[in-house]
Amino acid sequence: QMCIRDSRQIDGKTKGVIVKREKSGRWYAIAQVEDEPKPLSSTGKCIGIDVGIKHFLTDSDGRQIENPRFYERALKRVKLLQRNLSRKQKDSKNREKARIKLAKAYEKLVNQRNDFLHKLSCFYINNYDVIVVEDLRIKNIVCSNLAQKILDASWGKFIQLLSYKAERAGRKIVRVNPR
């Protein structure tokens, strides 16, 4: 018997449903819905955002958001689980259990990062009309020795979330040259 939990009420015309199975064994149903975006009321405020490694971002109002470093914090546990998995015999039940534990650890890491990025992007979309961000070429920057820290910060995903939420809310994202 299967238990289903709704994260929210489905409003609008349903266009399709995607059923997805994660590597940890969890199943998700993603509903594709057509609805009209509701623009937010104007705040008349503008802000500039500069992303970094020590501080995830620094904005023009002087706010500095610490970089949560989710991967760095989870690395010890992931290494231990990976070692346990590699020591198991191929095609055994214990190997499958170890694989699922490792998949759940990675899933938790991804969920923590996504939660942080969604909450932060919602804050800026709800409070500012115009958001100015650097137009970074992250692929070029990742070639440096800070690659792991840059990828852990997920600047690209943050800017992507800001962009799509701004479009739905009637806000404006301006990309400027990093120099």
Side-chain angles (χ1 to χ4, degrees):
Q1 191 168 41
M2 194 177 290
C3 178
I4 297 175
R5 282 188 283 162
D6 289 342
S7 62
R8 67 185 77 168
Q9 187 67 28
I10 298 174
D11 297 328
K13 184 178 179 185
T14 304
K15 290 292 194 173
V17 175
I18 298 171
V19 178
K20 180 179 174 184
R21 181 175 182 246
E22 294 289 328
K23 291 186 188 242
S24 65
R26 289 197 175 126
W27 289 84
Y28 294 95
I30 303 160
Q32 297 172 327
V33 178
E34 183 180 303
D35 71 333
E36 287 298 317
K38 299 164 189 76
L40 297 174
S41 59
S42 178
T43 62
K45 293 194 272 184
C46 177
I47 194 161
I49 294 177
D50 177 40
V51 292
I53 293 175
K54 183 177 180 187
H55 298 287
F56 180 76
L57 66 81
T58 304
D59 62 25
S60 56
D61 286 349
R63 214 177 282 115
Q64 289 185 326
I65 308 295
E66 283 297 315
N67 189 352
R69 294 187 169 94
F70 293 113
Y71 183 72
E72 205 172 286
R73 286 192 285 160
L75 190 59
K76 189 175 178 183
R77 175 145 175 82
V78 166
K79 281 182 177 179
L80 177 74
L81 292 171
Q82 185 66 53
R83 193 175 331 127
N84 286 344
L85 175 65
S86 69
R87 290 178 177 168
K88 304 294 182 206
Q89 187 177 352
K90 299 254 175 163
D91 298 328
S92 69
K93 289 278 188 185
N94 285 334
R95 183 180 176 89
E96 183 61 20
K97 289 178 198 173
R99 186 196 64 76
I100 289 172
K101 278 186 182 177
L102 181 63
K104 284 183 179 178
Y106 274 117
E107 203 173 297
K108 180 179 179 180
L109 171 69
V110 169
N111 289 341
Q112 285 177 326
R113 187 180 292 135
N114 286 342
D115 182 56
F116 170 74
L117 295 174
H118 275 290
K119 286 178 180 175
L120 195 58
S121 60
C122 279
F123 170 78
Y124 282 104
I125 294 299
N126 289 336
N127 294 312
Y128 298 96
D129 283 343
V130 179
I131 302 167
V132 181
V133 295
E134 295 174 292
D135 189 18
L136 294 172
R137 303 224 183 273
I138 296 168
K139 284 185 182 177
N140 297 346
I141 300 171
V142 167
C143 296
S144 70
N145 58 350
L146 298 172
Q148 189 179 41
K149 292 182 183 198
I150 292 169
L151 292 173
D152 185 25
S154 299
W155 300 333
K157 183 153 190 173
F158 174 68
I159 293 170
Q160 178 187 17
L161 293 176
L162 270 178
S163 298
Y164 97 80
K165 289 179 183 185
E167 188 177 316
R168 286 189 59 86
R171 304 291 199 222
K172 187 175 180 185
I173 299 288
V174 179
R175 294 174 184 254
V176 295
N177 190 329
R179 293 181 184 164

